[in-house]
DNA sequence: CGCTGGATAGAGCGTTCGTTCTAGTCATTC
DNA sequence: GAATGACTAGAACGAACGCTCTATCCAGCG
């Protein structure tokens, strides 16, 4: 190899995190056996417990953070696509619908499934999921604030925007249809516009 | 016992279904071991496989249907509380927030967790979950239609109302706060009112 | 009374789970 | 070229999983 100073392709640790994020996106935490995980990541059990002494749970927290950032990137892409926040939010639903259908309705929200099954069971994971939701709300709120929305209305709208995206993404996934997401886009745009300063 | 002709308290089958619904509401399908299930239901493995030859999966489908009806009852209660659909929807979020906090943030939507973890894995369960969502949408749509909303707008609004309720319920659960649900109530009321015929 | 069949009861099956453990590889450093 | 330490490799373990199986109970009936 030429450049041995940096990672040539992707380090084992990174492959583990990304694979865990993808598998947990599909089936959540308990439905993701570590052996399948390391196999698909092209790693071994030894590597997993080398990088994550806390085991599956520590890896899962890292995977949730990765999914958090991944979703945030898509959110940023949609939000910056239009200056107007209402149009921007609707653009996000379009991006989500596209990505979801392209994955044969499998790649839903990378956090939701894990969030629901860890409530009251695995506090570390639940906290990581809560942080992700807060992070996404913050992105939406920033867009609204930058457009002149008053502080309180911006914060509240951001909560509902993210929640509706989550709910619509789930329903689109279960029913294998773009409709819930696209309808959510229209309604959120109308709602956001109705508060326009 | 006096009346031996009918079930004295609750039949074993019914206890299994209700217990399964409650446990799946908390942790989903895979997080609900059959042995814990029969123990909490006051039943045994023999009874489970007597009433549900299809095993855990068949019981889970029955449990989803039960949760479907249970949530539908709460939805009906909220929707009939006010003649105006906008106020009615907001009433629903109040009921949900109350029930959720009373359960120490554990009794979320009885279907969502299972829906997400069975996508693309257990078609029978996924179908049962999809049916529940459609059922709830139908209830909201009926309320809007009865209030004179045009057919298409009523259907689309019903989709978003249910999706937003789902998303807000999940976020309220994970963050242990009424806020997401109550904010969703205000926003949904505003959205529904904005379409008032 | 004995027979019958729905319902109950739980020990035990084979499998899979997350984790541990020992052995090994390989680039880097003295 | 021996030593070092980060990393790889996978066999093996105890626990827990869903499910099967045989035995038993008991109300209804001739």
């Amino acid at each position: 190899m030429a450049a041995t100073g940096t990672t040539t392709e992707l380090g084992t640790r990174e492959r583990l995190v990304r694979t865990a994020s993808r598998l947990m996106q599909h089936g959540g935490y308990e439905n993701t056996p570590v052996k399948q995980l390391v196999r698909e990541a092209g790693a071994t059990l030894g590597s997993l417990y080398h990088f994550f002494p806390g085991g599956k749970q520590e890896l899962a927290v890292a995977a949730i953070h990765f999914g958090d950032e991944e979703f945030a990137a898509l959110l940023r892409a949609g939000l910056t696509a239009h200056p107007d926040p209402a149009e921007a939010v609707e653009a996000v639903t379009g991006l989500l619908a596209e990505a979801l259908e392209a994955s044969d309705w499998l790649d839903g929200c990378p956090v939701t499934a894990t969030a629901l099954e860890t409530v009251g069971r695995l506090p570390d994971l639940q906290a990581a999921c809560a942080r992700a939701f807060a992070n996404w709300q913050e992105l939406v709120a920033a867009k609204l604030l930058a457009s002149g929305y008053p502080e309180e209305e911006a914060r509240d709208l951001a909560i509902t925007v993210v929640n509706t995206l989550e709910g619509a993404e789930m329903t689109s996934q279960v029913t294998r249809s773009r409709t819930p997401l696209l309808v959510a886009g229209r309604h959120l745009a109308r709602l956001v516009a109705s508060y326009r300063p």
Side-chain angles (χ1 to χ4, degrees), chain A residues 184-197:
Chain A
R186 271 198 288 119
H187 287 154
L188 285 178
R190 185 183 179 102
L191 180 69
V192 169
S194 82
Y195 282 99
R196 190 147 35 207

Side-chain angles (χ1 to χ4, degrees), chain A residues 30-52:
Chain A
E30 295 288 345
N31 274 312
T32 302
V34 280
K35 281 176 182 162
Q36 176 192 356
L37 203 158
V38 297
R39 189 179 350 114
E40 294 199 17
T44 65
L45 284 171
S47 305
L48 194 164
Y49 287 92
H50 171 75
F51 289 111
F52 302 95

Side-chain angles (χ1 to χ4, degrees), chain A residues 92-178:
Chain A
V92 171
T93 63
L95 290 179
L96 286 176
E98 209 173 316
L100 188 55
E101 185 168 15
S103 73
D104 195 30
W105 314 102
L106 286 175
D107 289 356
C109 171
V111 171
T112 319
T114 303
L116 280 171
E117 80 179 328
T118 55
V119 163
R121 294 171 187 252
L122 303 167
D124 291 358
L125 268 170
Q126 181 177 351
C129 295
R131 234 171 300 144
F133 293 140
N135 187 23
W136 304 336
Q137 282 175 21
E138 188 50 44
L139 288 176
V140 175
K143 175 75 177 184
L144 292 168
L145 289 170
S147 305
Y149 283 65
E151 175 82 19
E152 197 181 330
E153 282 179 0
R155 301 251 164 243
D156 283 357
L157 274 174
I159 295 174
T160 293
V161 165
V162 172
N163 288 344
T164 300
L165 290 180
E166 294 293 326
E169 174 106 335
M170 182 203 56
T171 305
S172 277
Q173 211 177 342
V174 173
T175 60
R176 303 174 62 89
S177 157
R178 288 174 172 244

